[in-house]
Amino acid sequence: MPTYRAPLEDSLFILNDVLNIERHNNLPGFADATPDMIEAILGEAGKMSEEVLQPLNEIGDKEGCIWNDDHTVTTPKGFKAAYDLYSESGWGALPFPEEYGGQGLPATLNAAIQEYVSSANMAFGMYPGLTAGAAAALVEHATEEQKQMYVPKMLSGEWSGTMNLTEPHCGTDLGMMRTKAVPQDDGSYKITGQKIWISAGEHDMSSNIIHLVLARIEGAPEGVDGISLFVAPKFILDAEGNPGERNALSCGSLEHKMGINGNATCVMNYEGATGYLVGTEHRGLKAMFVMMNEARLGVGVQGLAQSEVAYQNAADWARDRIQGRSISGTKFPDQKADPIIVHPDIRRVLMTIRSFNEAARALVYWTALKGDLSHRSDDDAVREAADDLMGLLTPVIKGVITDKGFDNTVMAQQVFGGTGYTKDQGVEQFVRDARIAMIYEGANGIQALDLVGRKLPSKGGRAVQAYFKEVGKFCSEHKDDEQMKPYIEPLSKALTDLQSATMWLVQNGMANPDNAGAASTDYMHLFGLVAFGHMWAMMAHTAQAKLSNGANGSEKFLENKLLTGKFFMERILPESAAHLIRIQTGAETMMAMDAESF
Amino acid sequence: MPTYRAPLEDSLFILNDVLNIERHNNLPGFADATPDMIEAILGEAGKMSEEVLQPLNEIGDKEGCIWNDDHTVTTPKGFKAAYDLYSESGWGALPFPEEYGGQGLPATLNAAIQEYVSSANMAFGMYPGLTAGAAAALVEHATEEQKQMYVPKMLSGEWSGTMNLTEPHCGTDLGMMRTKAVPQDDGSYKITGQKIWISAGEHDMSSNIIHLVLARIEGAPEGVDGISLFVAPKFILDAEGNPGERNALSCGSLEHKMGINGNATCVMNYEGATGYLVGTEHRGLKAMFVMMNEARLGVGVQGLAQSEVAYQNAADWARDRIQGRSISGTKFPDQKADPIIVHPDIRRVLMTIRSFNEAARALVYWTALKGDLSHRSDDDAVREAADDLMGLLTPVIKGVITDKGFDNTVMAQQVFGGTGYTKDQGVEQFVRDARIAMIYEGANGIQALDLVGRKLPSKGGRAVQAYFKEVGKFCSEHKDDEQMKPYIEPLSKALTDLQSATMWLVQNGMANPDNAGAASTDYMHLFGLVAFGHMWAMMAHTAQAKLSNGANGSEKFLENKLLTGKFFMERILPESAAHLIRIQTGAETMMAMDAESF
């Protein structure tokens, strides 16, 4: 049976020591997030994740969701009780505005909690995750009346939410969408069409399900500029705002998937369902895309979460499993063999994953904090600068953390040998679950294109220039610090590689856009390396400062932090050079072959 | 539904044009392998794989094997009929000596066939694959009487075979083995113990199952030098050599696994089962290890096979699926969108996989040919040199081709977007099936240690020196050929990296063995890059020669070959530098943390 321990100490180190989020206590909601309060909240979230959600993870995978003849869906045993507890404890309301029933706490804190939930039970976490996404879209775009009607009950968990974008013939290219909306005399619309891969589209845990649906109003222009956003509840609200008449929409079937079996992935059939326009007509896709940064950050967190829980279980196994002897001489002569953690190649795997997890966690918090600043600061310049960086880092977080997070689950599985391939230790589930995060919410190839084609050139490259300046400034400030040399020198080198790659893109991507496409995935991963390196340099600096100024019992934690960062700088960050070579190779060879020859 | 086409043209190009195996027609069995005969045999194998085995692949995954109350195992629908056809067609006998019912054809040819079978249906291919492994062990180590008793009926498929090594507490470290063998007055032994992960340990396709079992004779020395090899048939042979009395061994349960569900992975309980010593007592592990090179080559082929079939399906999907427009301008204005193969990032994925598949196929054949030479040449020096290289490349083939082969199935799955995560297209099965090849027959970390700790230093480094000489000679011979520059220059650079890494290992691995362990996986992958680069340079040279001398209608095939090789040289081979950096970093940082801190 797999186990899970929420990485509380690491979360607190990043939030309090590295990011020092207390200095933002002038922001709405941040004053409540004192170090004591943060510790209490994260402690509770960790406890729930460890004790309630994690034990349901394997059951969720094995039982899966069941589609019934009456088009209802039964979730795995225990999910409903866990959902009630999650809701009653207020987790669904944490980062939302107080006027709609939220607690107004930082989204940064919420990102930390979502990691714990997702490590413990990714399939479960998606149910409240989708509700949060739908609620956020309503808060941003709906009328005040709509917000009051739907949002409070979504935040309390009484109702849940979904996002309906994909259709069988269009996923990435939503301009081809066919689902149509016909205006009715009462101002509502009748929605007809089929949506697929709708996570949490139907289930038995909430008394209503609030679907956000993209559709084309009859007569709307073709393409993405003719798509509108609608809210279509499973049960239409009566005059008192309670679930009333059953709407003409239902789950036609469940997908059979590689993983996340505990989450209901639905084919949703809209058969003249009643829906209400949200925001401006024909501007639905834009409305959805405003939410995209948060949603993509959330998917990145899932990649980190699976990597973390896989790491923990692999480390436990490596300490317990005895097999063979250390090549540098027997370490446990009283045992028949040494535990496999004595083997350098096992440590290489564990350190690789660990050095990713800690950097990814820091990067998620760092970026989520930019998100909070972009929404809550009262200074226009601060908001704008934070929004730039959040937008820039979002595809990096989504694409790189889910790619590497998946790789890490595979590496962790390898530590188990044959046992890892059986269903006995639960580690193969982490692999299957983690795989989806690379695909949904914009496949990672799309993230790379978003970074190279949209985020880089946006506003004359303002975001990327600001980012280079921030990382470069950190390097300059610490370059003469002897202790920091093992961190700053590799980071400076990787930053130079990223700057060269960016320059190359500017020069060659305009001349031939295929060069940008050919470089995109490597560029995204090169960016990720630098971003992780930046986090490691920041963490190393904080750890050294704390060790000098009195670590107060956390010496070991801080020394391990410095070791793990050193490993990253020595062994992982130098991959930047290979990415740069590939980027500079250009598109010519890969575009030369005709399609039939593949 | 996934599809499969055996890559016949590529197989023939490598066998006939690149390796020119006709020049070895003085070897036993090779005279029969004329180009016409090879084409006919491979054509038949391809047809069977495409038409019989591939359609059963999905059924095998979904139905799996069923363990019955009487300890028998039922294989998926259609497997028995396919097994009969496979056997009757003589595929099981192809590379074996004629005196035991074999056809005496080259093992090189057999490697090609095994790729097709495994691409079509990996779980099915394991049944005859295990029989071949067990038969080969008997041919090598059993008495003439034992060979005559068992081998012909195994080669005909009437009986099947297994290898029983692993026990619950020992996989890699077989010295801890507990299964015991008690000598009986009639010269037989009673075997008692539990073996796990026994592929094809019990099934309903053959009338007897010949188990090869490692066990410790009562009173034998501890450790690996006290293990003996036994043959223990499911039905003990009667005086006429027919299956008689049921032996005291049975399948206690089936493992529940991530994939290869069509293959029965058995817990085998030996409860005083009758077994017969094979070879010398206490030398069983050595006997098994002689077979290891062939078995590991076979697992490498599985990695290639899954990569190939995943590639083919991803390429088909990329040609058919329309989504978005080419960034360099619309390519199919008459369609609602362009097929996704116009996107550079999709081509990057396809070219990456393709450039691996073709190099891996060549390397498998090249190494299998060394195996044939090592067994069949009448020249001692040729046999010895070939055996050196086969031994050296075996861990590279097993470790690198299965690691990268798995990565490629994941990349191919990504091309499908969300569809790839559902069970609809069958591509997620390739990922789950391919995963096991990194683990069994010696986990890939063990392959890396075998390479660094055993194969490199063996006989004063003779094998690796011979290998460097062979690759270096090819580079020197073609370095002034303008057409070859794009292939020779990158190969020379990567070879230099590999030589530097080897030198570093010699100097630092002896001083501190942990340095060798810490470098091992990177060294194995660096070696793999050079080996693939060598194959690409050879293939490019052959393709250019054929294009100059009259390509006879294969111009397009040859031009695509040159393009694919160029892609490999530009984008994949330069990764050698990152591996070298990591190798030279040493073990210090990764060994510094105490076990509890992980």
Side-chain angles (χ1 to χ4, degrees):
Chain A
M1 274 282 289
T3 58
Y4 175 63
R5 298 171 302 280
L8 200 60
E9 188 172 13
D10 202 43
S11 293
L12 296 173
F13 171 73
I14 303 168
L15 290 172
N16 296 328
D17 298 318
V18 182
L19 299 179
N20 185 15
I21 76 166
E22 253 195 315
R23 75 196 149 106
H24 298 294
N25 63 12
N26 60 326
L27 296 180
F30 275 65
D32 297 335
T34 59
D36 283 354
M37 182 57 98
I38 289 177
E39 185 166 357
I41 292 173
L42 291 185
E44 280 304 311
K47 196 161 165 257
M48 170 191 62
S49 299
E50 293 163 5
E51 296 174 8
V52 178
L53 303 182
Q54 196 277 331
L56 296 174
N57 194 39
E58 207 175 342
I59 297 167
D61 183 58
K62 285 194 176 149
E63 276 191 21
C65 293
I66 294 158
W67 184 84
N68 305 302
D69 287 343
D70 63 355
H71 294 209
T72 61
V73 169
T74 308
T75 52
K77 206 177 325 172
F79 269 45
K80 166 78 174 130
Y83 179 86
D84 289 345
L85 182 77
Y86 184 100
S87 301
E88 286 156 16
S89 310
W91 297 115
L94 193 129
F96 284 91
E98 289 169 83
E99 61 259 52
Y100 307 113
Q103 298 170 22
L105 286 162
T108 310
L109 196 57
N110 197 51
I113 294 166
Q114 292 317 311
E115 184 204 325
Y116 303 173
V117 169
S118 193
S119 278
N121 196 325
M122 177 165 159
F124 176 89
M126 292 171 67
Y127 291 101
L130 267 296
T131 304
L138 289 169
V139 167
E140 194 84 15
H141 300 289
T143 63
E144 188 57 32
E145 192 193 351
Q146 285 174 328
K147 289 187 218 184
Q148 292 297 350
M149 277 171 84
Y150 296 108
V151 176
K153 289 192 176 167
M154 292 170 77
L155 301 189
S156 73
E158 193 175 335
W159 300 347
S160 61
T162 74
M163 315 277 261
N164 292 241
L165 286 77
T166 305
E167 300 181 6
H169 63 288
C170 70
T172 299
D173 186 357
L174 292 169
M176 296 197 284
M177 191 174 289
R178 289 182 197 143
T179 295
K180 67 170 186 208
V182 181
Q184 306 296 302
D185 294 341
D186 64 356
S188 71
Y189 292 78
K190 293 284 183 209
I191 299 173
T192 304
Q194 188 177 66
K195 295 287 183 177
I196 61 170
W197 301 330
I198 308 310
S199 300
E202 175 61 34
H203 58 82
D204 53 5
M205 302 196 293
S206 63
S207 64
N208 203 358
I209 302 176
I210 311 305
H211 301 285
L212 291 190
V213 189
L214 288 181
R216 195 181 291 287
I217 296 173
E218 245 186 353
E222 292 231 335
V224 291
D225 289 332
I227 294 169
S228 304
L229 179 63
F230 299 89
V231 57
K234 176 179 171 185
F235 295 100
I236 299 168
L237 305 195
D238 64 18
E240 284 75 47
N242 295 316
E245 190 194 338
R246 182 71 170 84
N247 206 346
L249 57 90
S250 70
C251 171
S253 62
L254 294 179
E255 298 291 347
H256 296 98
K257 311 183 298 288
M258 187 181 187
I260 50 164
N261 292 327
N263 199 274
T265 307
C266 300
V267 172
M268 293 299 297
N269 295 319
Y270 292 82
E271 294 164 319
T274 298
Y276 310 95
L277 185 69
V278 176
T280 314
E281 61 181 24
H282 310 331
R283 291 288 169 273
L285 204 62
K286 271 212 177 101
M288 276 299 209
F289 267 100
V290 171
M291 308 318 308
M292 221 54 113
N293 283 345
E294 278 84 359
R296 290 179 170 177
L297 192 70
V299 175
V301 168
Q302 292 178 331
L304 162 61
Q306 294 307 296
S307 178
E308 172 66 30
V309 69
Y311 166 82
Q312 291 186 12
N313 282 276
D316 284 346
W317 178 267
R319 271 187 291 263
D320 290 349
R321 172 78 172 174
I322 63 165
Q323 203 79 185
R325 290 298 185 185
S326 164
I327 44 175
S328 59
T330 294
K331 297 289 182 286
F332 293 80
D334 51 324
Q335 292 187 30
K336 282 224 154 190
D338 288 337
I340 61 173
I341 203 163
V342 304
H343 303 313
D345 195 57
I346 295 287
R347 283 174 170 256
R348 175 189 63 79
V349 166
L350 293 175
M351 291 297 283
T352 300
I353 308 178
R354 180 190 179 99
S355 70
F356 163 88
N357 289 349
E358 297 182 10
R361 185 172 295 121
L363 185 64
V364 163
Y365 294 5
W366 184 89
T367 308
L369 184 56
K370 300 288 178 204
D372 274 328
L373 285 164
S374 79
H375 288 117
R376 305 188 186 196
S377 174
D378 55 9
D379 180 331
D380 284 352
V382 170
R383 275 212 312 279
E384 199 175 71
D387 191 57
D388 278 355
L389 289 177
M390 163 111 189
L392 182 69
L393 269 299
T394 294
V396 175
I397 284 183
K398 198 289 186 180
V400 177
I401 299 186
T402 64
D403 271 1
K404 294 287 171 194
F406 171 78
D407 289 348
N408 290 347
T409 61
V410 173
M411 280 197 278
Q413 181 186 26
Q414 191 73 11
V415 171
F416 287 82
T419 306
Y421 195 68
T422 69
K423 303 209 171 253
D424 297 351
Q425 294 292 332
V427 68
E428 61 89 43
Q429 185 189 342
F430 302 143
V431 175
R432 289 184 291 105
D433 286 356
R435 183 66 185 86
I436 188 60
M438 298 159 69
I439 299 172
Y440 61 19
E441 207 62 42
N444 286 355
I446 299 299
Q447 304 300 325
L449 278 183
D450 177 50
L451 176 64
V452 163
R454 195 173 297 145
K455 301 292 170 62
L456 274 195
S458 170
K459 301 167 195 156
R462 193 175 74 186
V464 74
Q465 284 160 23
Y467 184 75
F468 291 162
K469 202 170 153 190
E470 176 156 348
V471 179
K473 185 160 166 266
F474 189 89
C475 290
S476 315
E477 282 170 5
H478 302 285
K479 73 175 179 346
D480 300 325
D481 179 345
E482 270 306 311
Q483 277 194 305
M484 282 297 287
K485 279 232 162 91
Y487 305 93
I488 295 299
E489 283 181 1
L491 176 59
S492 300
K493 160 82 180 68
L495 178 62
T496 305
D497 285 345
L498 180 60
Q499 287 169 325
S500 304
T502 308
M503 191 66 76
W504 189 91
L505 273 176
V506 170
Q507 289 164 353
N508 297 277
M510 299 228 250
N512 175 8
D514 280 339
N515 280 328
S520 57
T521 290
D522 277 292
Y523 185 83
M524 177 176 79
H525 278 282
L526 171 52
F527 210 117
L529 284 169
V530 171
F532 291 158
H534 180 213
M535 291 300 119
W536 269 121
M538 286 172 65
M539 290 194 284
H541 180 249
T542 304
Q544 285 167 355
K546 277 194 88 173
L547 279 167
S548 307
N549 302 334
N552 225 344
S554 65
E555 287 80 2
K556 188 146 204 177
F557 172 85
L558 298 168
E559 278 154 15
N560 289 337
K561 186 61 82 177
L562 290 169
L563 272 175
T564 308
K566 191 151 172 277
F567 180 92
F568 183 88
M569 295 295 178
E570 287 173 350
R571 290 201 164 237
I572 311 294
L573 198 52
E575 287 168 17
S576 63
H579 288 298
L580 179 60
I581 289 174
R582 278 205 284 261
I583 289 164
Q584 293 176 336
T585 297
E588 199 183 320
T589 306
M590 69 171 81
M591 300 312 288
M593 212 153 85
D594 56 51
E596 292 64 41
S597 292
F598 276 89
Chain B
M1 274 281 288
T3 58
Y4 175 62
R5 298 171 303 280
L8 200 60
E9 189 174 11
D10 202 42
S11 293
L12 295 174
F13 171 73
I14 302 168
L15 290 172
N16 296 327
D17 298 319
V18 182
L19 299 179
N20 185 16
I21 76 166
E22 252 194 317
R23 77 196 147 106
H24 297 294
N25 62 12
N26 60 325
L27 295 180
F30 275 63
D32 297 335
T34 59
D36 283 355
M37 181 57 98
I38 290 176
E39 186 166 356
I41 292 173
L42 291 185
E44 280 304 311
K47 197 161 165 258
M48 171 191 61
S49 300
E50 293 164 5
E51 296 174 7
V52 179
L53 303 182
Q54 197 276 332
L56 296 174
N57 194 40
E58 207 174 343
I59 297 168
D61 184 57
K62 285 193 176 148
E63 277 191 20
C65 292
I66 296 157
W67 184 85
N68 304 301
D69 287 343
D70 62 357
H71 294 209
T72 60
V73 168
T74 308
T75 53
K77 207 176 327 170
F79 269 45
K80 165 78 174 131
Y83 180 85
D84 289 343
L85 182 76
Y86 184 99
S87 302
E88 284 156 17
S89 311
W91 296 116
L94 194 130
F96 284 91
E98 288 170 84
E99 61 258 51
Y100 307 114
Q103 297 170 24
L105 285 162
T108 309
L109 195 58
N110 197 52
I113 294 166
Q114 292 317 310
E115 184 203 327
Y116 302 172
V117 169
S118 192
S119 278
N121 195 325
M122 177 165 159
F124 176 88
M126 291 171 67
Y127 291 100
L130 266 297
T131 304
L138 288 170
V139 168
E140 194 84 17
H141 299 290
T143 62
E144 189 55 34
E145 193 193 351
Q146 285 173 327
K147 288 187 217 183
Q148 292 297 349
M149 277 171 83
Y150 295 109
V151 175
K153 289 190 176 170
M154 293 170 78
L155 300 191
S156 73
E158 192 174 336
W159 300 347
S160 62
T162 74
M163 315 276 262
N164 292 240
L165 285 77
T166 305
E167 300 181 6
H169 64 288
C170 69
T172 298
D173 187 357
L174 292 170
M176 295 197 286
M177 189 175 289
R178 287 181 198 146
T179 294
K180 68 171 186 208
V182 181
Q184 306 295 302
D185 293 341
D186 65 355
S188 72
Y189 291 78
K190 292 284 183 209
I191 299 172
T192 304
Q194 188 176 69
K195 296 288 181 176
I196 62 169
W197 301 330
I198 307 309
S199 299
E202 174 61 35
H203 59 83
D204 53 5
M205 302 196 293
S206 62
S207 63
N208 204 0
I209 301 177
I210 312 305
H211 301 286
L212 291 191
V213 189
L214 288 180
R216 196 181 290 287
I217 297 173
E218 245 187 354
E222 293 231 333
V224 291
D225 289 332
I227 294 170
S228 305
L229 178 63
F230 299 89
V231 55
K234 178 178 170 186
F235 293 101
I236 299 169
L237 304 197
D238 65 19
E240 285 75 47
N242 294 315
E245 191 195 337
R246 183 73 169 80
N247 207 346
L249 57 91
S250 69
C251 170
S253 61
L254 293 180
E255 298 290 347
H256 296 97
K257 312 183 298 286
M258 187 179 189
I260 50 163
N261 291 328
N263 199 275
T265 307
C266 300
V267 172
M268 293 300 296
N269 295 320
Y270 291 83
E271 295 164 318
T274 298
Y276 310 96
L277 185 68
V278 175
T280 314
E281 59 180 24
H282 310 332
R283 291 288 169 272
L285 204 61
K286 271 210 178 105
M288 277 299 208
F289 268 98
V290 171
M291 307 319 308
M292 220 55 112
N293 283 345
E294 277 84 357
R296 289 178 170 177
L297 191 70
V299 175
V301 167
Q302 292 178 332
L304 161 62
Q306 294 308 294
S307 179
E308 171 67 29
V309 69
Y311 166 81
Q312 290 185 12
N313 282 276
D316 285 345
W317 178 267
R319 271 186 292 263
D320 291 348
R321 172 80 171 172
I322 62 165
Q323 204 78 185
R325 290 297 185 186
S326 165
I327 45 177
S328 59
T330 294
K331 298 288 181 286
F332 293 79
D334 51 323
Q335 294 187 30
K336 283 222 152 195
D338 289 337
I340 61 174
I341 203 162
V342 304
H343 303 313
D345 195 57
I346 295 287
R347 283 175 171 256
R348 177 189 62 79
V349 166
L350 293 176
M351 290 296 283
T352 300
I353 308 178
R354 181 190 179 99
S355 70
F356 163 87
N357 290 349
E358 297 182 10
R361 185 172 295 120
L363 186 63
V364 164
Y365 294 4
W366 184 89
T367 308
L369 183 56
K370 300 287 179 205
D372 274 328
L373 285 165
S374 80
H375 288 116
R376 303 187 188 196
S377 173
D378 55 9
D379 180 330
D380 285 352
V382 170
R383 276 211 313 279
E384 198 175 72
D387 191 58
D388 277 356
L389 290 177
M390 163 110 189
L392 182 70
L393 268 300
T394 295
V396 175
I397 284 184
K398 198 289 185 180
V400 176
I401 299 185
T402 64
D403 272 2
K404 293 289 171 192
F406 171 78
D407 289 348
N408 290 346
T409 62
V410 173
M411 280 197 279
Q413 182 186 25
Q414 191 73 10
V415 171
F416 286 81
T419 305
Y421 195 68
T422 68
K423 301 205 173 256
D424 298 351
Q425 294 292 333
V427 68
E428 61 89 44
Q429 185 189 342
F430 303 143
V431 175
R432 289 184 291 105
D433 287 356
R435 183 66 185 88
I436 188 59
M438 297 160 69
I439 299 172
Y440 62 18
E441 208 61 45
N444 286 354
I446 299 299
Q447 303 300 325
L449 278 184
D450 177 49
L451 177 64
V452 163
R454 197 173 297 146
K455 300 293 170 61
L456 274 195
S458 170
K459 301 168 194 158
R462 195 175 71 185
V464 73
Q465 283 160 23
Y467 185 74
F468 290 162
K469 203 170 153 191
E470 177 156 348
V471 179
K473 186 160 164 263
F474 189 90
C475 290
S476 314
E477 281 171 5
H478 301 285
K479 74 175 177 351
D480 299 325
D481 177 344
E482 270 307 309
Q483 277 195 304
M484 282 296 287
K485 278 231 164 90
Y487 305 92
I488 296 297
E489 282 180 4
L491 176 59
S492 299
K493 161 81 180 68
L495 178 63
T496 305
D497 285 346
L498 180 60
Q499 287 169 323
S500 304
T502 309
M503 190 66 76
W504 189 92
L505 273 176
V506 169
Q507 288 164 353
N508 297 276
M510 299 229 250
N512 176 7
D514 281 340
N515 280 327
S520 57
T521 290
D522 278 293
Y523 186 82
M524 178 177 77
H525 278 282
L526 172 52
F527 209 117
L529 285 169
V530 171
F532 291 158
H534 180 213
M535 292 300 118
W536 269 121
M538 285 172 66
M539 290 192 285
H541 180 249
T542 303
Q544 286 168 353
K546 277 193 87 172
L547 280 167
S548 307
N549 302 334
N552 224 343
S554 64
E555 287 80 2
K556 189 147 203 177
F557 172 85
L558 297 168
E559 278 154 15
N560 290 337
K561 186 61 81 176
L562 290 170
L563 273 175
T564 308
K566 190 151 172 278
F567 180 92
F568 183 87
M569 294 295 176
E570 287 173 352
R571 289 199 165 238
I572 311 293
L573 198 52
E575 289 169 15
S576 63
H579 288 298
L580 179 60
I581 289 173
R582 278 205 284 261
I583 290 164
Q584 293 175 336
T585 297
E588 198 182 321
T589 307
M590 69 171 79
M591 300 311 289
M593 212 154 86
D594 55 51
E596 292 64 41
S597 292
F598 276 89

